[in-house]
Amino acid sequence: MADPFSKDQMAQLILAKLRRNFGRTAEQATKAHMFQACALVVRDIMSTNNIASEKLVQLGQQRQVHYLSMEFLMGRSLEKNAFNLGVLQPMKEAIKFLGFDPGEIFEAEPDAGLGNGGLGRLAACYLEAMTTLEIPATGYSICYELGIFKQKIVDGQQVELADNWLDLGDAWLITRTDETEEVKFGGRIIDHWEGNINHPEHVEYTSVLAVPRDMPVAGYNTDHTNVLRLWDAKSPTPVDMSLYSSGDYLKAVEQQAMAEVIAKVLYPDDNHYEGKSLRLRQQYFFVSATVQSIMRKHRAQYGTLRNFHEKHVIQINDTHPTLAIPEMMRILLDEEGYEWDEAWSIVTKTVAYTNHTVLAEALERWPQQLFESLLPRIWNIVCEIAHRYQLELERHFGQGDGRVARMAIIWDNEVRMANLCICACYAVNGVSALHSEILKHDVFADAYRLEPSKFKNVTNGIDHRRWLSEINPELDKLIRDCTDGSDDYLIHAYKLKELEKHADDAAVLERLGQIKRDNKLRFADYIKAESGILLNTDALFDVQVKRLHEYKRQLLNVLHIIYLYQHMKEDPHFDFQPRTFLFGAKAAPGYYVAKRIIRLINSVANMVANDPACKDRLQVAFLENYRVSLAEKLMPASELSEQISTAGKEASGTGNMKFMMNGALTIGTLDGANVEMHEQVGDDNIFIFGLTAQEVSDLKAKGYHAYDYYMNNPDLKWIMKFLNDGFPDGESYGDLTRRLISGDGCPADEYLLLADFESYKAAHERVGKVYRDPKRWNKMSLINIARSGIFAADRSICDYAETIWDVPHRA
Ligand code: 26W
């Protein structure tokens, strides 16, 4: 590591940036100026380090990782990068010295919200971990002008506002115009045959320029620096002057707008596919630019692409970047003159695929017509891949076998992206043990039988430097005090285990409890200042934050709250542990039911807030605009983490890990990574309830009758009636109860809320009992923290490096 900076040096650097970039002194600077100046200082350090890192990689001819993802949910970077670089302390002192409050400067940074949820945040944690582990890696995505929308709650309902993060977020980006790539859309292909070799010519296409805007990423305690390459879309001709002068002004401007719209906005759909032309354009745009850029650099260094797979691995984050496969083929065939077999051999040794969801409605299937007209040459290549695959499958299974149809890449005039990935990738992995098993035995069972060795598991992990040390400094201190006093656990997360020596140490448990109380108070202060809501910090903070989706079952949580409410009203002596239920969730703008559930949560929150009977006992709050920077404040203050998805549906979950590391206990189903959390801590340190994945699938096979559960359970009956009758705010929710009981046109209660209700209720009763014994609760909390090391992203990245990428990493 380079020498650390002193406070004075840091102040000088910041002042110089203020002067040069904004023409201001410290006295004239706003918080926004100050943030930008600090970011520029940190960016300079990383940029210098990155040049050195790239040199070393080039000299050592090391294999590089390219992580392709439509989403990178980076959140804020200033405090994080400064922390990793070891300059956080002098920077804070310098900010103070210049007359500002460091906390306020960090708060001035907008979240880089270039993602929806789990998949995007995972990519961000992994880029940090790859950097810390000194793996030469680059992330690739789109430089969306507008990130995930900002959520406002108006009259209980979600309203979406534009998120213009580049205002200030720009400070991190280094524009590399010299590495611009051209991406071609539309037009048609003219085949020129020379013997049996084809030289296809692409004519009448529309060009879009892809301009890299690189965001450097620092690793912890290393000079190694990687970058996130965000492609911005530009028209090749600013405004076509020939059209302009010929009077076709609109057409001239239109061409420009058509090009630039590609990078305008992140699609806010999570786990839900819609065959939108612009989305396909986004995918090809970023993937084509990425592959061209990697191959161009490789050629410049090695003079050939023959050894490409030895020097590069391309990891595709769900199917969204699948077009990297035919795009590599296109370059090798059309631009480099390779024969099919050799090109295919290079591609299939380079690309690996991670699946992140089993929900059928999330599977990408592009209509042939759209695909063919937008990407004519890529379409031809995919047809050829599909054809050859079909022949192979038929050789293996026999013609007319159902498996050939299920595994087909093109079928019913659709391109199935997952099947293309499975065919072309040398590795396919799920993101938790359970999820990987479901992939092998259910979703991709046919492919698994064909090539079992392709299928792997890499259980997700989170950046524990951000999600523990940075956001929960008091807990970080306690851990250091209880381990060897050093920061070693920041590199070797399994050292958290040493905490467990103190599992019966009353003083340590008391201190752990005190840290949680302080964090709750701090969070309550923040919420009060932001929204005016006064949280009851004496109550158990029971938290469910994640995207709103029916399979995640926020509605089950609400049903239980209504049950508690009813019992409290009925029986003033009803003995239950006071609770503050906190929700945070964005709904996809077009997902009607999800939006209704948000409205319901707000109806319940209002009713409870205005009912004196609930005072100091029951509280519900919907936290507006849940995002990375809000999660960072909330995790340290949470006591109970709700991970209550229908078993078999949540691929992994990563929020669950953030809660665990910050000492919250989990109430959850045996789904996704909860299964492995349960394995780590045992029955005694987690509140498990509900049907298992196997039981869910058995019940569905047998025929699930939600109505019977409803009829046989007086609590459920009462709750449904309550929802139908409506709330003091005038809203009633017959639409939601119908969905649960009769189905309203679709299968009733698809996610088995009613089947799991009783078991959920019982688990909550256990929670309440344990909470009344603070010593026991704190011990459970300590054990959870101590055994959370396995959920560090470093462990996941080591798994990828060793079992899929075959690249070395820092020990
Ligand atoms: C095409 C629309 C679309 C958009 C996003 C489909 C699917 C997605 C993502 C794959 C959904 C997603 O974020 N999945 C989440 O991935 C996390 C990281 O692996 C897991 O922890 C979550 O369980 C999973 O829901």
Side-chain angles (χ1 to χ4, degrees), residues 282-302:
Q282 289 186 331
Q283 294 188 349
Y284 184 64
F285 167 75
F286 107 91
V287 145
S288 171
T290 299
V291 171
Q292 290 187 64
S293 158
I294 302 169
M295 287 192 149
R296 181 184 316 287
K297 285 183 192 165
H298 182 94
R299 207 173 201 308
Q301 185 176 1
Y302 296 97

Side-chain angles (χ1 to χ4, degrees), residues 71 117-119 122 269-273 279 318 320 356-357 362 364 431 460 551-552 650-654:
E71 307 186 9
L119 165 115
L122 187 78
D269 304 302
D270 182 86
N271 264 309
H272 185 83
Y273 161 77
R279 168 97 177 172
D318 216 273
H320 320 151
H356 294 268
T357 179
E364 292 190 294
V431 291
N460 283 167
Y551 85 83
K552 294 175 186 282
E650 189 69 271
S652 164
T654 43

Side-chain angles (χ1 to χ4, degrees), residues 21-85:
N21 291 276
F22 309 107
R24 313 242 165 175
T25 62
E27 290 74 31
Q28 297 164 324
T30 62
K31 287 177 202 163
H33 290 129
M34 198 60 188
F35 156 71
Q36 291 174 95
C38 292
L40 290 171
V41 169
V42 172
R43 193 187 86 175
D44 281 356
I45 303 172
M46 294 191 291
S47 185
T48 310
N49 287 349
N50 180 239
I51 292 170
S53 299
E54 283 184 356
K55 266 226 176 81
L56 284 175
V57 173
Q58 198 171 22
L59 277 175
Q61 305 200 344
Q62 293 175 53
R63 193 174 203 209
Q64 291 171 249
V65 176
H66 305 278
Y67 197 92
L68 274 58
S69 178
M70 285 285 277
E71 307 186 9
F72 274 86
L73 191 45
M74 301 296 281
R76 290 176 174 157
S77 291
L78 180 56
E79 193 177 0
K80 169 68 190 173
N81 282 326
F83 176 84
N84 273 3
L85 291 167

